[in-house]
């Protein structure tokens, strides 16, 4: 029996392992005939859903089980199904911080489509964890509220941005959170207030919460501002000029080093790695902290390029870069990972 790993909404903060993907193996599930299983009004697809279609990197083979959930009760049912049949599972949103293996994933991938939005009062929004974070950022600024200007450039979900405490340009998700609804691995729903949680640079209490199954919804409280929309437009213009927005990437791959006064992108650039490629994976010529899929990258190409970048930066500057993205090993052995 495979161990049940902790689950993630979209983005995660575990370090990349030094790992060699098993290249001599065949995909986890290779039947040409799609199989489905129905359970409590949920449709589980067996072995045909390609993870490359769920990842902004466009990399990944089939998962053994796949199910979409559109309501918190669906999510709870999916988790109970996996627990009842001892199936490892992960919960994802837009897959913008995920590297799946070409062999796939021998477990269940639960696609979070809980994308409702409620306006509780002026400036207070309660959003489903599957709601697009960039859409919430644009919408709130258009309605005259500040705090999520940066979100328009984040291609993830509300749940993922909260889990990872996404941020840019001096703003962070945690700064405007009021409360968060979660479901635990035991199947209980809980509401946590902001004051009860700890957030840091690309980190949150959820990353160490052993009984977290998934974030269900997040309530944001924003302040009125007449200049929010203009500032957001300026940030988006800068993003389009400085990031490879038209290429397949996972956003920033590495965290910025703490207390060094230099970004990961600057270190990678100064190490002469812009344009460096392995197979179909390449360090972007536009932004060095973006590793892009040129169209035919494999998971091993990306793993090797990440390892090369870390090695070169460490050799030249003595700095150990830490990844923002999460690699899903096909036969998830959680013991191989280190926080």
């Amino acid at each position: 029996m495979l161990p049940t790993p902790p689950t993630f909404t979209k983005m995660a903060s575990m370090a990349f392992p030094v790992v060699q993907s098993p290249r001599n193996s065949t995909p986890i599930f290779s039947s040409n005939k799609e199989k489905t299983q129905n359970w409590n009004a949920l449709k589980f697809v067996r072995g045909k859903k390609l993870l490359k279609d769920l990842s902004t990197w466009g990399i990944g083979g089939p998962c053994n089980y796949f199910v979409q959930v559109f309501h918190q009760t669906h999510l709870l049912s999916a988790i109970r199904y996996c627990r009842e049949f001892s199936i490892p599972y992960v919960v994802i949103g837009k897959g913008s911080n995920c590297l799946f293996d070409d062999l796939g994933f021998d477990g269940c991938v639960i696609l979070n489509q809980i994308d409702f939005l409620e306006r509780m009062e002026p400036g207070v929004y309660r959003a489903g964890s599957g709601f697009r974070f960039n859409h919430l950022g644009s919408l709130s600024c258009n309605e005259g509220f500040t705090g999520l200007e940066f979100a328009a450039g984040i291609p993830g979900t509300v749940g993922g941005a909260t889990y990872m405490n996404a941020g840019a340009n001096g703003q962070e998700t945690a700064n405007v959170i009021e409360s968060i609804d979660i479901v635990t691995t035991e199947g209980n729903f809980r509401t946590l207030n902001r004051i009860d949680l700890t957030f840091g640079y690309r980190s949150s209490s959820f990353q160490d919460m052993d009984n977290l199954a998934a974030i269900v919804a997040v309530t944001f409280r924003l302040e009125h501002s007449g200049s929010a929309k203009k500032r957001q437009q300026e940030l988006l213009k800068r993003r389009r000029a400085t990031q490879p927005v038209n290429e397949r990437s996972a956003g920033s791959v590495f965290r910025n080093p703490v207390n060094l006064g230099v970004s990961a992108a600057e270190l990678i650039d100064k190490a002469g790695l812009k344009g460096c490629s392995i197979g179909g994976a390449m360090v972007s010529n536009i932004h060095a902290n973006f590793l892009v899929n040129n169209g035919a990258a494999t998971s091993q190409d990306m793993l090797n390029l990440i390892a090369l970048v870390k090695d070169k930066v460490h050799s030249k500057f003595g700095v150990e870069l830490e990844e923002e993205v999460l690699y899903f090993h096909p036969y998830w052995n959680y013991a191989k990972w280190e926080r």
Side-chain angles (χ1 to χ4, degrees), residues 9-38:
T9 50
K10 172 189 160 297
M11 308 177 200
S13 64
M14 296 174 132
F16 252 71
V18 178
V19 62
Q20 182 74 24
S21 181
R23 295 299 99 195
N24 295 326
S25 302
T26 56
I28 285 170
F29 194 96
S30 57
S31 171
N32 290 323
K33 184 179 179 181
E34 179 174 300
K35 298 181 179 180
T36 62
Q37 294 179 344
N38 295 314

Side-chain angles (χ1 to χ4, degrees), residues 105-182:
F105 178 64
D106 191 22
C108 182
V109 173
I110 302 172
L111 182 62
N112 181 359
Q113 302 273 35
I114 306 172
D115 61 354
F116 68 84
L117 180 68
E118 300 172 351
R119 293 171 175 82
M120 312 301 289
E121 60 182 83
V124 179
Y125 302 88
R126 182 173 182 265
S129 53
F131 194 83
R132 287 183 298 149
F133 195 51
N134 53 8
H135 185 47
L136 178 62
S138 297
L139 181 148
S140 60
C141 285
N142 287 339
E143 294 182 357
F145 297 98
T146 183
L148 290 175
E149 287 90 332
F150 77 97
I154 306 293
T157 59
V158 163
T162 301
Y163 179 91
M164 200 61 193
N165 190 21
N169 307 110
Q171 293 180 321
E172 288 185 336
T173 307
N175 294 343
V176 289
I177 287 176
E178 182 168 88
S179 64
I180 301 172
D181 301 328
I182 68 168

Side-chain angles (χ1 to χ4, degrees), residues 197-220:
L197 299 166
T198 301
F199 290 88
Y201 173 67
R202 303 300 174 268
S203 68
S204 72
S205 301
F206 301 109
Q207 295 166 13
D208 298 309
M209 195 176 292
D210 293 335
N211 68 338
L212 172 71
I215 294 171
V216 174
V218 183
T219 300
F220 300 89

